[in-house]
Amino acid sequence: MAAGVATWLPFARAAAVGWLPLAQQRLPPAPGVKASRGDEVLVVNVSGRRFETWKNTLDRYPDTLLGSSEKEFFYDADSGEYFFDRDPDMFRHVLNFYRTGRLHCPRQECIQAFDEELAFYGLVPELVGDCCLEEYRDRKKENAERLAEDEEAEQAGDGPSLPAGSSLRQQLWRAFENPHTSTAALVFYYVTGFFIAVSVIANVVETIPCRGPARRPPREQPCGERFPLAFFCMDTACVLIFTGEYLLRLFAAPSRCRFLRSVMSLIDVVAILPYYIGLLVPKNEDVSGAFVTLRVFRVFRIFKFSRHSQGLRILGYTLKSCASELGFLLFSLTMAIIIFATVMFYAEKGTNKTNFTSIPAAFWYTIVTMTTLGYGDMVPSTIAGKIFGSICSLSGVLVIALPVPVIVSNFSRIYHQNQRADKRRAQQKVRLARIRLAKSGTTNAFLQYKQNGGLEDSSSGGEQALCVRNRSAFEQQHHHLLHCLEKTTCHEFTDELTFSEALGAVSLGGRTSRSTSVSSQPVGPGSLLSSCCPRRAKRRAIRLANSTASVSHGSMQELDTLAGLQRSPAPQSRSSLNAKPHDSLDLNCDSRDFVAAIISIPTPPANTPDESQPSSPGGGGSGASSTLRNSSLGTPCLLPETVKISSL
Amino acid sequence: MATVRHRPEALELLEAQSKFTKKELQILYRGFKNPWPLSLRECPSGVVNEDTFKEIYSQFFPQGDSTTYAHFLFNAFDTDHNGAVSFEDFIKGLSILLRGTVQEKLNWAFNLYDINKDGYITKEEMLDIMKAIYDMMGKCTYPVLKEDAPRQHVETFFQKMDKNKDGVVTIDEFIESCQKDENIMRSMQLFENVI
């Protein structure tokens, strides 16, 4: 956890005084505090430059080099200072992190060097503050890309190797997507590119008029009609190649539906379909007109080049992302066109032999004028028409010229915005993950501490004290605080797993009659203990009786439950408590074996006296529950011995 | 928002008013002046506002929701109710909590529980406090936290404290009952050696 909070620990502990009158159990004793808690000034000598700071400042982050005992390795006893043979300029930033809690990234330093310093001092790069985080990441990404490019250039020859057992399909797909991976793929790539070009050029050339053979009226004919067979053969060849390519891609695609819906495959289909339709359509006069129109679609073959060109793809993407701006431009233009066309029409209405026969006819004039083309095929003749015509051309300059830079800047803005939004989303995720990690870290530390038996009385053996002693003073006090809260509320912190188990078990009508399990903690003169949760337990008992467990071994449970309700209390574990009659159903707050007890339900009820499970010193909790769970799942009918053993 | 620079009273004065030594006051002030590495932005230097309180507490109790309890604590510390806890308020509170007599501590606790500061703790006030404390435990507790656990606890508390069974606890009843309970008396010494 970000232990810059260490400075506020006294406050949190002091405020815990507010819980004292409410605590129903005795609160644990405070951890022993080191004798000298006075603050002192440490001198850190980094390559000759001396930095001085309070010890408490460095202690704020105990999981770094300077905050932990690791710095003792660098302590020079003769001079009484900590000596680091590192860059003093970078150290300034590191030290400022301790002082302010924010890690800033130096602008003029190499990002790699900064990273290395961070790694040395035990700071994770995620600690970089928000003000510098974006720049830090950008520079890191640049660096990484540059390094990656160098690496790629080195390994120009070898492509990414597929796992040995990859099928033909996968290999084929990889060949299609990355033509550079194998020679065959490269050849195929160039062949298709060549044929696309050939097809496009053929389409173009077949409309050029060639001088026909010497005929009586020397008539010019488009080449396509002069050499129909040649063009037809060429067309057929190209279409065959394209069809073959399309079918191969379809076969190799990992997800055929997605492939079918993709833009490139649509373009492929549109490119080859006219040919087949042309084949199928009988050659009669009515349909051939439509057939000719279809041939227009052959020009879409040129879009197949976008597989071969990265630039085309980027252009297409940017157009798509600026669609709204383009749409707005079109809309405003349309408005202007309609307005001016109307005006011109009515202005020129009276003239004889005017070109402005209708408003839609005037559209053409307006567009040509506004875009300053001025073909001159339609000109106004009235004075009013000329006036409005000039206004139209002047406003055309404005209307067209203004949005274009806006659109251009929108392109770049939207492009960068998308990049930044993705970055921010990633950063947010990282930040949330960091916070969650810190929180879970704290909780886990405490739970770990509990599991290691840290909460036992110190009188019960010094061996286990070793494993819990290597916590900082701050951690000790913080854990003591959390422990006090547990005692005040009679509940314990657990992790998600145990909680969900307990939740599930309770909803099954988990029994509490097993509460004769010995508490794993020494029970003091806790006359308050029994009064802690009597009513809660009673309610649970009632719920038990009415429970309709929906789980598979529910019926057995119910039987046990009903039988258990009439059982007499087995007070051996709770000898120190006043054994009130309803205490048998009490849920001992200290009992860690609650979950253990629940899962041991399928035991036949006759074995009550053996149910008092020996106390597991602190190892209870999740450890016992998991082992029990295994055993209970394995053998639906547990013997008491099994239960006892597995609970250890 | 204009940064309000609040300078605390002189060190000697504070030392005389509280039970801390000069060194301890120095350490506390350094931590107070630079309260939170994370949320320094809106916090005028020299005073601590409620949001900072809440954030500090949420760092200590990550599993649960400690904002309500932090709110009550803030009101208890902010004796002049001006929405900010100055260093003097802070020291005053800490002095009582850490170095005060048992009587003073119990007084402080009573003041904390008495939300509307009218001299009586009603069941509703106690229930609010109790809920706030149980909220700090969070969801993942063992045994599973029941809906009425705070209420149960409040009942127990009132049974113990409310001598004349009039439904409210006065300061005298409170102090008397606490002094009779040896557990509470013993726990009062727990937080002495905090600095």
Side-chain angles (χ1 to χ4, degrees):
Chain A
M1 95 185 237
V5 68
T7 47
W8 285 86
L9 181 62
F11 157 69
R13 298 199 68 226
V17 168
W19 307 333
L20 293 183
L22 306 176
Q24 296 174 334
Q25 304 170 19
R26 195 177 52 149
L27 295 186
V33 182
K34 295 196 281 283
S36 71
R37 292 282 294 131
D39 212 4
E40 43 170 333
V41 172
L42 298 180
V43 180
V44 179
N45 182 348
V46 182
S47 301
R49 202 183 302 177
R50 279 186 177 67
F51 297 86
E52 302 184 10
T53 178
W54 292 110
K55 184 171 182 300
N56 275 357
T57 310
L58 294 180
D59 285 343
R60 279 185 194 160
Y61 297 97
D63 48 354
T64 60
L65 188 154
L66 290 171
S68 63
S69 54
E70 197 183 342
K71 63 177 184 279
E72 303 301 326
F73 284 103
F74 298 92
Y75 184 67
D76 182 7
D78 302 327
S79 49
E81 53 191 27
Y82 295 88
F83 180 74
F84 293 96
D85 194 9
R86 311 282 303 187
D87 188 356
D89 293 324
M90 298 282 206
F91 185 73
R92 193 170 62 86
H93 298 279
V94 169
L95 194 52
N96 277 340
F97 168 66
Y98 286 90
R99 291 173 179 148
T100 63
R102 267 193 279 259
L103 182 60
H104 295 279
C105 169
R107 298 282 152 101
Q108 66 275 18
E109 303 281 350
C110 171
I111 206 78
Q112 192 82 353
F114 184 64
D115 258 353
E116 283 167 11
E117 292 297 311
L118 288 187
F120 177 79
Y121 291 108
L123 302 174
V124 272
E126 279 75 34
L127 289 171
V128 176
D130 293 340
C131 42
C132 298
L133 188 58
E134 192 174 331
E135 190 190 317
Y136 172 77
R137 278 179 193 256
D138 287 345
R139 286 167 66 185
K140 260 198 107 163
K141 211 184 340 176
E142 264 182 54
N143 245 6
E145 280 168 6
R146 208 174 307 134
L147 285 176
E149 276 173 17
D150 293 345
E151 272 183 26
E152 263 188 41
E154 281 175 22
Q155 325 168 359
D158 21 320
S161 55
L162 277 184
S166 62
S167 66
L168 175 67
R169 200 173 147 184
Q170 285 171 330
Q171 282 179 347
L172 213 53
W173 183 249
R174 187 173 66 104
F176 278 131
E177 294 298 300
N178 309 312
H180 302 282
T181 47
S182 73
T183 338
L186 208 55
V187 163
F188 184 75
Y189 174 77
Y190 282 124
V191 161
T192 45
F194 173 71
F195 271 100
I196 294 175
V198 159
S199 158
V200 169
I201 290 175
N203 284 349
V204 166
V205 163
E206 74 180 0
T207 59
I208 298 177
C210 314
R211 194 177 296 278
R215 283 197 194 186
R216 271 147 347 226
R219 180 165 71 97
E220 293 217 337
Q221 240 186 353
C223 286
E225 289 176 26
R226 191 164 135 73
F227 306 105
L229 198 59
F231 281 104
F232 182 72
C233 289
M234 216 177 305
D235 207 22
T236 312
C238 295
V239 167
L240 278 176
I241 301 258
F242 296 152
T243 318
E245 180 203 355
Y246 181 72
L247 288 175
L248 274 178
R249 273 185 205 264
L250 189 60
F251 165 69
S255 155
R256 296 213 172 108
C257 292
R258 200 158 53 92
F259 175 73
L260 282 176
R261 283 195 302 243
S262 72
V263 174
M264 288 314 302
S265 85
L266 281 177
I267 290 179
D268 288 340
V269 169
V270 166
I272 60 180
L273 222 42
Y275 177 80
Y276 288 111
I277 296 183
L279 280 186
L280 298 174
V281 158
K283 288 239 189 310
N284 65 2
E285 294 303 313
D286 303 328
V287 196
S288 62
F291 168 66
V292 166
T293 323
L294 270 181
R295 303 179 82 177
V296 166
F297 284 100
R298 292 187 304 174
V299 79
F300 278 96
R301 288 178 197 166
I302 206 169
F303 282 117
K304 286 165 70 75
F305 266 130
S306 62
R307 271 217 188 90
H308 298 249
S309 156
Q310 176 83 351
L312 271 181
R313 280 206 292 270
I314 291 180
L315 182 63
Y317 171 72
T318 39
L319 278 178
K320 194 164 54 140
S321 62
C322 285
S324 64
E325 267 70 23
L326 285 173
F328 170 70
L329 171 63
L330 264 159
F331 178 68
S332 61
L333 266 183
T334 313
M335 268 179 31
I337 287 171
I338 292 180
I339 290 174
F340 278 107
T342 314
V343 167
M344 289 308 295
F345 172 72
Y346 283 111
E348 289 287 307
K349 200 157 179 244
T351 324
N352 289 337
K353 291 205 273 272
T354 184
N355 281 335
F356 295 82
T357 50
S358 66
I359 293 185
F363 281 171
W364 174 243
Y365 169 77
T366 319
I367 293 176
V368 167
T369 313
M370 283 183 91
T371 54
T372 69
L373 281 176
Y375 288 136
D377 53 348
M378 286 166 81
V379 274
S381 30
T382 61
I383 298 192
K386 286 188 180 157
I387 292 176
F388 286 119
S390 41
I391 296 177
C392 175
S393 72
L394 284 175
S395 66
V397 171
L398 285 177
V399 170
I400 302 267
L402 276 183
V404 168
V406 171
I407 287 189
V408 165
S409 72
N410 269 357
F411 277 173
S412 63
R413 181 177 58 85
I414 289 173
Y415 183 69
H416 285 128
Q417 215 175 45
N418 278 346
Q419 302 279 79
R420 209 166 287 135
D422 288 336
K423 265 191 257 177
R424 204 173 297 134
R425 239 174 283 131
Q427 283 173 17
Q428 190 69 11
K429 260 190 245 171
V430 168
R431 196 170 305 143
L432 286 176
R434 196 192 337 155
I435 291 177
R436 235 178 294 128
L437 196 64
K439 286 199 174 179
S440 71
T442 321
T443 329
N444 285 345
F446 183 56
L447 294 173
Q448 188 69 29
Y449 165 59
K450 282 207 302 187
Q451 277 186 19
N452 292 340
L455 298 180
E456 297 255 328
D457 274 346
S458 48
S459 55
S460 62
E463 326 74 62
Q464 48 90 15
L466 266 173
C467 63
V468 299
R469 188 157 296 161
N470 52 356
R471 299 173 303 151
S472 64
F474 169 73
E475 265 199 6
Q476 277 183 7
Q477 299 198 359
H478 187 219
H479 289 169
H480 176 243
L481 199 59
L482 291 173
H483 195 203
C484 287
L485 184 59
E486 284 184 339
K487 285 281 183 262
T488 310
T489 55
C490 257
H491 288 70
E492 291 181 4
F493 289 107
T494 61
D495 51 10
E496 289 277 346
L497 195 59
T498 328
F499 173 68
S500 45
E501 280 173 15
L503 199 57
V506 164
S507 66
L508 291 179
R511 75 176 45 235
T512 57
S513 53
R514 290 282 188 278
S515 63
T516 51
S517 57
V518 177
S519 70
S520 52
Q521 278 184 292
V523 171
S527 53
L528 291 171
L529 275 164
S530 55
S531 62
C532 173
C533 325
R535 261 174 253 191
R536 206 180 300 138
K538 244 199 248 173
R539 200 154 298 146
R540 189 173 294 130
I542 297 173
R543 202 187 309 137
L544 289 188
N546 303 338
S547 77
T548 53
S550 53
V551 191
S552 50
H553 50 270
S555 54
M556 216 192 306
Q557 272 179 287
E558 284 204 62
L559 271 177
D560 288 345
T561 309
L562 294 172
L565 276 177
Q566 289 120 26
R567 204 173 310 136
S568 59
Q572 60 228 66
S573 58
R574 314 254 313 231
S575 46
S576 52
L577 297 178
N578 313 324
K580 300 199 190 78
H582 66 265
D583 274 2
S584 64
L585 301 176
D586 263 5
L587 181 59
N588 184 358
C589 282
D590 288 343
S591 159
R592 292 232 181 86
D593 300 320
F594 177 67
V595 174
I598 290 172
I599 298 182
S600 67
I601 285 168
T603 346
N607 301 314
T608 317
D610 301 83
E611 280 313 306
S612 64
Q613 295 145 2
S615 80
S616 45
S622 40
S625 67
S626 54
T627 49
L628 262 184
R629 194 163 7 117
N630 294 337
S631 62
S632 73
L633 284 178
T635 57
C637 181
L638 286 178
L639 301 171
E641 293 80 25
T642 323
V643 168
K644 215 191 297 188
I645 291 170
S646 54
S647 76
L648 279 174
Chain B
M1 157 174 177
T3 39
V4 174
R5 281 218 42 118
H6 179 101
R7 216 168 273 136
E9 302 181 17
L11 193 53
E12 290 83 17
L13 201 55
L14 277 178
E15 190 190 359
Q17 284 175 354
S18 71
K19 301 205 178 93
F20 292 116
T21 66
K22 265 211 186 109
K23 259 200 173 299
E24 291 168 336
L25 283 174
Q26 281 179 340
I27 296 178
L28 282 172
Y29 186 65
R30 262 186 275 130
F32 188 82
K33 181 119 172 118
N34 187 13
W36 196 246
L38 299 175
S39 72
L40 262 183
R41 279 158 276 161
E42 294 97 23
C43 181
S45 54
V47 292
V48 171
N49 59 7
E50 194 168 333
D51 293 329
T52 317
F53 253 51
K54 290 184 176 166
E55 215 177 307
I56 290 168
Y57 249 70
S58 72
Q59 287 282 324
F60 279 108
F61 300 99
Q63 265 200 329
D65 173 27
S66 47
T67 46
T68 332
Y69 191 65
H71 167 76
F72 292 133
L73 266 184
F74 185 79
N75 286 339
F77 267 91
D78 184 18
T79 41
D80 47 1
H81 303 288
N82 60 351
V85 168
S86 65
F87 189 59
E88 288 90 357
D89 296 334
F90 185 64
I91 289 298
K92 222 180 296 180
L94 274 190
S95 173
I96 294 176
L97 288 171
L98 301 180
R99 302 288 160 91
T101 66
V102 170
Q103 184 89 0
E104 288 174 346
K105 287 181 191 172
L106 290 174
N107 249 329
W108 192 91
F110 185 84
N111 191 37
L112 173 71
Y113 302 147
D114 184 12
I115 298 178
N116 56 359
K117 318 282 180 240
D118 62 351
Y120 299 104
I121 304 179
T122 62
K123 278 201 180 158
E124 286 73 28
E125 290 175 336
M126 204 60 227
L127 189 60
D128 286 340
I129 299 269
M130 203 62 78
K131 277 203 202 130
I133 293 181
Y134 273 81
D135 280 345
M136 280 199 289
M137 289 295 294
K139 194 174 57 96
C140 297
T141 58
Y142 164 74
V144 178
L145 203 50
K146 293 295 184 304
E147 284 297 319
D148 58 346
R151 189 169 288 278
Q152 298 279 345
H153 206 145
V154 170
E155 294 296 326
T156 319
F157 178 77
F158 265 78
Q159 271 173 18
K160 198 165 56 151
M161 301 278 166
D162 192 9
K163 288 290 181 275
N164 55 359
K165 307 291 175 212
D166 58 353
V168 295
V169 175
T170 63
I171 179 79
D172 303 309
E173 286 176 342
F174 182 69
I175 294 186
E176 202 187 315
S177 317
C178 287
Q179 280 175 336
K180 286 219 194 81
D181 187 337
E182 62 174 69
N183 271 344
I184 297 183
M185 285 298 112
R186 203 174 324 185
S187 335
M188 283 284 167
Q189 323 304 329
L190 269 183
F191 299 101
E192 302 253 297
N193 52 353
V194 167
I195 301 282

